[in-house]
Amino acid sequence: DLFAMTSGDAYQENRAFDPNTVWAFWPEGPFRDEKEMRLSSVFQRRLNEAGFAIVESLTGKMVGVVFLTNDNPKNLCISLELPIVKPSSEGTVEPIEGCFLLMDRLFAMGYRRIQLSVDSMDTNGKKLSGRLGFTQEGLIPKDRVVKESNRDSIIYGMLNSDWDKGARAFLYKKLHGDVAMKTDISNNKKEGELDKQTKFLKESKAKQVATKKQ
């Protein structure tokens, strides 16, 4: 339950905390109740946006959510928003792996660029951007007005070329270790060879059909 874990009240094994530690850099929040959260942009997403739950693999418990926004299929670019997680999960492996899985899927689908916009005052957000391997591209002064205050935005980017040339392997190794990374590389190689074989068989079959017609 996203509201329960970010409201500031004691939740499961977590003690009570200041909810502003979660919502300080978001345009909305903290929320008074679940209804107010449901009516906010956290749940009321646009057609070019999507939200995903971040779940602990061992316990099956949700630790937060992450959003994709500004989907631009024509130019094959999209924005990744910083995850919303309970304070005890800040800086842990779950938010990083949640972002990694989304990024890996997006690049596999053909996207060319993923952008991440971070408030210049958000220390945790800047750290996460670095851990994910994003490159800082620039600073936009007074980019937005958030809770009646100016926000300077730091723009980070990840290109498909950088992902393929080493960013993916570096992040995968950091998450799962050297042995798992070698296994992943081997599996990807086998999948690539299988794709080539499937393509070759399809082309051969198409040539045979064309020859018969002649």
Side-chain angles (χ1 to χ4, degrees):
D1 182 271
L2 186 61
F3 173 76
M5 72 174 62
T6 61
S7 66
D9 296 330
Y11 177 72
Q12 295 182 352
E13 74 280 5
N14 300 305
R15 298 178 179 178
F17 61 91
D18 180 359
N20 284 299
T21 59
V22 175
W23 300 105
F25 299 104
W26 275 79
E28 299 172 89
F31 302 97
R32 292 188 297 268
D33 50 43
E34 292 184 26
K35 181 180 179 181
E36 186 178 37
M37 177 181 279
R38 284 197 302 270
L39 295 175
S40 74
S41 61
V42 175
F43 285 95
Q44 303 301 316
R45 311 308 299 182
R46 298 174 181 174
L47 292 177
N48 64 343
E49 299 176 342
F52 304 85
I54 302 173
V55 179
E56 288 181 336
S57 58
L58 294 178
T59 64
K61 295 180 180 178
M62 186 175 76
V63 299
V65 294
V66 61
F67 298 103
L68 295 173
T69 60
N70 302 317
D71 183 21
N72 188 335
K74 180 180 179 180
N75 295 304
L76 295 173
C77 58
I78 197 167
S79 294
L80 175 71
E81 301 295 327
L82 290 173
I84 303 173
V85 297
K86 58 184 181 180
S88 61
S89 295
E90 191 73 55
T92 62
V93 68
E94 285 84 6
I96 297 175
E97 185 158 20
C99 292
F100 168 81
L101 292 172
L102 281 178
M103 294 164 66
D104 199 35
R105 183 60 178 167
L106 288 167
F107 286 129
M109 291 171 63
Y111 279 80
R112 300 162 58 245
R113 181 175 184 276
I114 300 174
Q115 178 174 298
L116 186 60
S117 178
V118 181
D119 192 308
S120 62
M121 302 296 289
D122 187 352
T123 303
N124 289 333
K126 290 186 285 187
K127 286 181 180 178
L128 180 60
S129 303
R131 289 170 181 157
L132 290 171
F134 277 82
T135 299
Q136 183 175 329
E137 299 177 336
L139 172 70
I140 304 178
K142 296 186 177 181
D143 179 39
R144 308 175 190 177
V145 176
V146 178
K147 295 173 180 174
E148 301 182 357
S149 297
N150 287 319
R151 164 178 157 163
D152 298 339
S153 295
I154 301 176
I155 305 301
Y156 296 88
M158 175 68 76
L159 304 180
N160 57 345
S161 53
D162 294 332
W163 188 252
D164 294 336
K165 289 178 180 178
R168 181 190 185 279
F170 175 79
L171 188 52
Y172 192 95
K173 181 179 179 181
K174 184 162 62 173
L175 286 168
H176 303 292
D178 188 55
V179 175
M181 184 193 71
K182 291 179 180 179
T183 302
D184 181 66
I185 292 174
S186 177
N187 290 337
N188 288 337
K189 185 178 180 180
K190 290 178 181 177
E191 288 177 2
E193 292 173 350
L194 181 61
D195 290 341
K196 288 181 180 179
Q197 185 179 18
T198 302
K199 182 179 178 181
F200 174 77
L201 292 173
K202 285 184 177 178
E203 291 176 349
S204 298
K205 186 175 182 180
K207 288 180 180 178
Q208 290 175 3
V209 172
T211 301
K212 289 180 179 179
K213 287 182 178 180
Q214 290 176 358

